[in-house]
Structures are given as structure tokens and as C-alpha cells.
């Protein structure tokens, strides 16, 4: 996405829909790269055999990886990361190799110059063999408060 | 032998290393130049590249699970624990080159009965990060959920 377009408070209205921005599909290399970057070296995200011993059909993503995508999407909709005043995510379901992460947002309200945004990241893909997942599921729900410069 | 008393808080340093910020940005698809390119950040009026919004979650691996458990004493059974929620409140984003001072404590610990029997315990670790001037930069809330059966 690169440099986001500039946006002004006047152009933001309640009910405004944002996205979708689509990341992925996830590869195992994405999990390895995030592990190295974040320090989260839990083998359940990198080693299929270990994941199976823990009862999962394969490795799956660290929750903070799609959360990072969602934060990035939200930042870009509003001119960059420095405009984000609050970011919150709740993890709903795991995300798997082969999943695309579909990020959307909706402006809930604007209060005292703070733009309140509801966020969602869905996983979209076949999921791992043996789980019979729906093709598309909500993986994360979130909220962001955005303050644009004067 | 008596068990050691839990501490109220853990103090730790979180260095914001430029190469680590760039590496983290690339890992989460953050391609905004203010997170990657020093010249672009300075042109935008920032002293250096800024850490992406979720960067400070790396604190979880600076003060690892075992140390956190031993010192703050939440007594969680990690075979049944999920990362449930994550929240950040920013005064500003951290800049590469600074070392944030973190203070972590348990800010919430409660149990909720589930709809289909079983209960869930929510434990939130709050970390307040300040800069060298002692100003708050951001506060992070890391919430774990302990379920009443094995999560697998």
C-alpha cells in the first residue's frame, strides 16, 4: 500500500466502510518470519509434527500476525500509523497456512475529534485437512481510535 | 519450604532497535516508509523510524512466560491458556533508537461462567512504557484466557 493518501476529518463520516484489504495467502515462511521478528518461537507455529502432537492438524499463525495486518490496514485507511491512538483486538479463531486475511473496518462514530472504528479480520481459505472449516470465518474483531492531525 | 511471595510489578527495558523495527514491519506487511526508511521518517518530522502499532507485543518475549509466572504469580495452567485479547493505548509510537522503560503488572483477574458450563478466567497484564524523559509513550494490555478444559 505504500504511502497512504492523506485524509481529513471532514471526509470521514459515521457508517463509512473501509477495505477490504487482503493479505496472504499465508505461507509457513510468513510464520517463520514473524517468529524471528517478534521473538515468538513457540514451535506450534513452525513445526507441523509438534503442532500435531499438540492436537492441531498443522501449524497455525500467531494471533498477533493477522493482528499486525489489521493494525496496518487501519493505519493506512487514516494516513499512517502515527494517527492511531488506540488499537484493540480479540482473537476468535485460528488462522492457517493457505488462508487469506481479509481486513475491513467501519466508522462507528466521531466523538471530540476521535474517530471510533470497528475492525474485523476474516480468514478465507480451505483450512487444514481434517478440520472441515467454513471457507470464510471471523478470525479477529477489533477497535481503533484514530486522531488525525489538525 | 514457603513459597516466595509474588511481586506487584516487573520492571524491564525494551530497546527499540532500528533493524528490529524494520524486520517487524516487513513481517506484518507494514510498508509505510515512516516504519522503514529513516529519511522518509525525518521528512515527516519524526526523529527516526517509528515502531508499527503492534511492535511492543515483543515485550512478551523479553520478559518470558516463566519469569512472569514466577514473579507475578498468576498461577496459570498454560496447557489451557489462550491469548484472548490485545490492546494498546498510544501517546505516540516508539522511535527507533530509544529504550523504553516498561512496568508490567496484573491489572485484571476475573472468572466468567461459560454458557455451556465450564468457566473462563481472564488475566490481563498491563505494561506501561515510558521514555527517557519519564513521559508515558504507550500502555499495552495482554489478556490471557484460561479455559476449564484442555485447549489442545
Amino acid at each position: 500500500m505504500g504511502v497512504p493518501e492523506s485524509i481529513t476529518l471532514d471526509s470521514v463520516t459515521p457508517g463509512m466502510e473501509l477495505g477490504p484489504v487482503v493479505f496472504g495467502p499465508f505461507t509457513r515462511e510468513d510464520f517463520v518470519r514473524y517468529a524471528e521478528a517478534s521473538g515468538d518461537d513457540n514451535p506450534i507455529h513452525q513445526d507441523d509434527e509438534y503442532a500435531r502432537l499438540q492436537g492441531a492438524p498443522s501449524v497455525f499463525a500467531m494471533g498477533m500476525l493477522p493482528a499486525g495486518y489489521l493494525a496496518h490496514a487501519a493505519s493506512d485507511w487514516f494516513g499512517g500509523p502515527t494517527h492511531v491512538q488506540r488499537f484493540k483486538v480479540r482473537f476468535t479463531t485460528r488462522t492457517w497456512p493457505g488462508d487469506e486475511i481479509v481486513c475491513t473496518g467501519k466508522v462507528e462514530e466521531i466523538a471530540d475529534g476521535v474517530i471510533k472504528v470497528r475492525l474485523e479480520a476474516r480468514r478465507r481459505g480451505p483450512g487444514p485437512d481434517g478440520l472441515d472449516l467454513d471457507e470464510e470465518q471471523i478470525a479477529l474483531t477489533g477497535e481503533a481510535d484514530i486522531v488525525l492531525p489538525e | 519450604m514457603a513459597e516466595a511471595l509474588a511481586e506487584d510489578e516487573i520492571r524491564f527495558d525494551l530497546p527499540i532497535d532500528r533493524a528490529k523495527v524494520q524486520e517487524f514491519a516487513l513481517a506484518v506487511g507494514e510498508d509505510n516508509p515512516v516504519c522503514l526508511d529513516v529519511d522518509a521518517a525525518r521528512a515527516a518530522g519524526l526523529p527516526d523510524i517509528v515502531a508499527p502499532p503492534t511492535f511492543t507485543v515483543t515485550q512478551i518475549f523479553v520478559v518470558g512466560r516463566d519469569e512472569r509466572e514466577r514473579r507475578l504469580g498468576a498461577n496459570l495452567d498454560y496447557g489451557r491458556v489462550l491469548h484472548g485479547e490485545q490492546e494498546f493505548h498510544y501517546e505516540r509510537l516508539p522511535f527507533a533508537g530509544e529504550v523504553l522503560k516498561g512496568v508490567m503488572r496484573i491489572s485484571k483477574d476475573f472468572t466468567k461462567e461459560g454458557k455451556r458450563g465450564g468457566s473462563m478466567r481472564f488475566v490481563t497484564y498491563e505494561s506501561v512504557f515510558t521514555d527517557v524523559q519519564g513521559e508515558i509513550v504507550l500502555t499495552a494490555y495482554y489478556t490471557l484466557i484460561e479455559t476449564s478444559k484442555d485447549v489442545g
Side-chain angles (χ1 to χ4, degrees):
Chain A
M1 292 191 279
V3 182
E5 289 175 35
S6 59
I7 183 167
T8 60
L9 191 55
D10 298 342
S11 64
V12 180
T13 49
M16 190 173 161
E17 303 213 9
L18 304 146
V21 177
V22 182
F23 296 88
F26 270 144
T27 64
R28 285 169 169 74
E29 289 70 40
D30 292 327
F31 304 167
V32 173
R33 189 177 308 119
Y34 187 78
E36 284 166 0
S38 69
D40 184 349
D41 56 5
N42 186 339
I44 206 161
H45 305 301
Q46 297 189 57
D47 180 344
D48 280 310
E49 201 170 322
Y50 180 87
R52 279 192 282 273
L53 286 172
Q54 304 296 314
S58 79
V59 296
F60 54 92
M62 314 66 173
M64 287 309 294
L65 175 51
Y69 291 166
L70 189 59
H72 171 49
S75 303
D76 257 20
W77 290 325
F78 294 99
T82 56
H83 302 162
V84 182
Q85 195 181 63
R86 186 176 76 91
F87 178 75
K88 177 179 182 175
V89 283
R90 187 171 294 126
F91 302 101
T92 311
T93 192
R94 288 171 174 169
T95 57
W96 303 92
D99 280 354
E100 290 181 306
I101 303 299
V102 182
C103 299
T104 54
K106 187 174 183 181
V107 176
E108 291 279 298
E109 60 168 337
I110 301 161
D112 297 328
V114 179
I115 305 166
K116 302 266 184 188
V117 186
R118 193 155 292 281
L119 303 168
E120 190 175 284
R122 305 172 77 85
R123 57 161 293 277
R124 184 167 71 197
D129 287 345
L131 275 196
D132 199 24
L133 297 179
D134 289 342
E135 171 77 13
E136 200 163 329
Q137 289 175 298
I138 297 175
L140 312 170
T141 57
E143 297 158 29
D145 292 353
I146 307 289
V147 177
L148 298 177
E150 296 285 311
Chain B
M1 200 167 77
E3 279 189 47
L5 284 176
E7 298 167 49
D8 291 336
E9 59 188 36
I10 297 175
R11 291 176 178 270
F12 61 100
D13 284 353
L14 186 70
I16 310 297
D17 177 75
R18 191 189 280 167
K20 287 304 288 184
V21 167
Q22 290 163 331
E23 185 187 5
F24 187 92
L26 293 172
V28 295
E30 176 61 77
D31 56 3
N32 191 303
V34 296
C35 296
L36 294 168
D37 181 61
V38 182
D39 292 336
R42 290 193 178 138
L46 301 161
D48 207 305
I49 58 171
V50 295
T54 60
F55 178 83
T56 57
V57 78
T58 57
Q59 70 162 104
I60 295 161
F61 312 103
V62 172
V63 182
R65 174 207 286 184
D66 292 347
E67 183 181 355
R68 192 175 68 224
E69 262 303 318
R70 190 181 71 246
R71 294 180 60 186
L72 298 182
N75 197 25
L76 286 162
D77 172 359
Y78 279 89
R80 298 184 282 124
V81 165
L82 301 165
H83 187 187
E85 295 176 11
Q86 183 71 38
E87 181 167 5
F88 305 92
H89 293 195
Y90 311 95
E91 297 300 322
R92 63 172 175 82
L93 291 175
F95 302 124
E98 68 180 335
V99 179
L100 299 181
K101 296 272 178 204
V103 180
M104 172 166 43
R105 65 183 187 93
I106 295 173
S107 61
K108 279 187 197 163
D109 184 351
F110 63 91
T111 300
K112 219 154 84 170
E113 294 307 316
K115 290 190 187 93
R116 287 169 293 178
S119 60
M120 295 198 293
R121 180 176 166 214
F122 291 72
V123 177
T124 299
Y125 295 90
E126 175 198 86
S127 297
V128 179
F129 292 94
T130 51
D131 63 16
V132 72
Q133 280 89 28
E135 301 283 337
I136 293 177
V137 176
L138 67 101
T139 306
Y141 302 88
Y142 172 61
T143 299
L144 299 178
I145 301 176
E146 185 183 50
T147 60
S148 53
K149 60 176 196 304
D150 283 355
V151 292

